[in-house]
Amino acid sequence: AERKLLPALYHRQMEGQFTEPTRIIGASRASLSHDEYRRFASDALKEHLKSGEFNEAEVERFTSRLYYVSVDAKSEQGWDDLKKLLEEGKDRTRAFYLAVGPAIFSDISEKIRDHKLITRNTRIVVEKPIGRDLASATELNDTIGKVFREE
């Protein structure tokens, strides 16, 4: 998130690709407040953007979109907090970007389903690698496919 994802999302904003009101919700096991996450993101952008790309006003606008929730992929911790945060704007497109190891793609997909966070506008994005070989990639695809329909 620090080196690639946050700068990439910042660039999307700079290109005018966010509609209002876009929110970006960071989630991990770490316990952070929204403001702490916004400071983390601002510091990450200062460190990882190329020279001349950091614009204080745009960074402030970008970080105002950021929210954070502490969630554990393998337990119930935090999922109700995430659901509550997603209640506002529940008809908007939701993209769950799983920047985690493939071993927990299934756990997270099932938690998203079990906590009724899937709407008709929900998408899931998984980072590579997807498996170690064809068999494990097929297994992961099938597991995620049980929760998220391909279309």
Side-chain angles (χ1 to χ4, degrees):
E2 183 178 350
R3 287 184 312 108
K4 298 205 178 205
L5 188 55
L6 288 168
L9 290 168
Y10 173 78
H11 286 124
R12 298 296 59 83
Q13 174 175 287
M14 295 295 288
E15 295 291 325
Q17 294 178 352
F18 290 147
T19 57
E20 296 304 334
T22 293
R23 291 185 308 155
I24 299 166
I25 302 170
S28 77
R29 288 179 295 180
S31 182
L32 297 173
S33 69
H34 299 309
D35 286 336
E36 288 170 327
Y37 186 64
R38 290 173 183 141
R39 279 192 298 277
F40 163 80
S42 180
D43 291 345
L45 293 173
K46 280 179 190 167
E47 183 176 345
H48 297 289
L49 288 175
K50 293 178 184 168
S51 179
E53 290 182 334
F54 188 93
N55 175 298
E56 194 72 44
E58 282 297 321
V59 168
E60 189 171 318
R61 190 169 138 234
F62 176 74
T63 58
S64 73
R65 298 180 186 284
L66 300 180
Y67 296 83
Y68 183 84
V69 63
S70 177
V71 174
D72 188 309
K74 293 191 175 258
S75 77
E76 294 301 308
Q77 183 262 317
W79 289 97
D80 288 337
D81 296 333
L82 179 59
K83 184 174 185 171
K84 184 190 286 185
L85 197 54
L86 289 171
E87 280 300 309
E88 179 189 325
K90 59 185 167 190
D91 295 327
R92 297 182 197 147
T93 298
R94 293 178 182 175
F96 289 94
Y97 186 98
L98 306 186
V100 298
I104 61 173
F105 287 168
S106 173
D107 295 317
I108 294 173
S109 297
E110 290 168 357
K111 291 292 186 194
I112 291 169
R113 177 199 61 211
D114 294 348
H115 288 273
K116 298 179 179 18
L117 301 178
I118 301 172
T119 68
R120 65 182 176 84
N121 294 320
T122 298
R123 310 291 184 265
I124 187 167
V125 179
V126 294
E127 278 193 355
K128 295 187 274 182
I130 301 176
R132 301 170 305 286
D133 53 24
L134 180 58
S136 61
T138 300
E139 181 182 345
L140 279 170
N141 190 63
D142 291 347
T143 300
I144 294 169
K146 289 177 187 172
V147 176
F148 292 94
R149 296 186 345 221
E150 194 162 336
E151 67 275 0

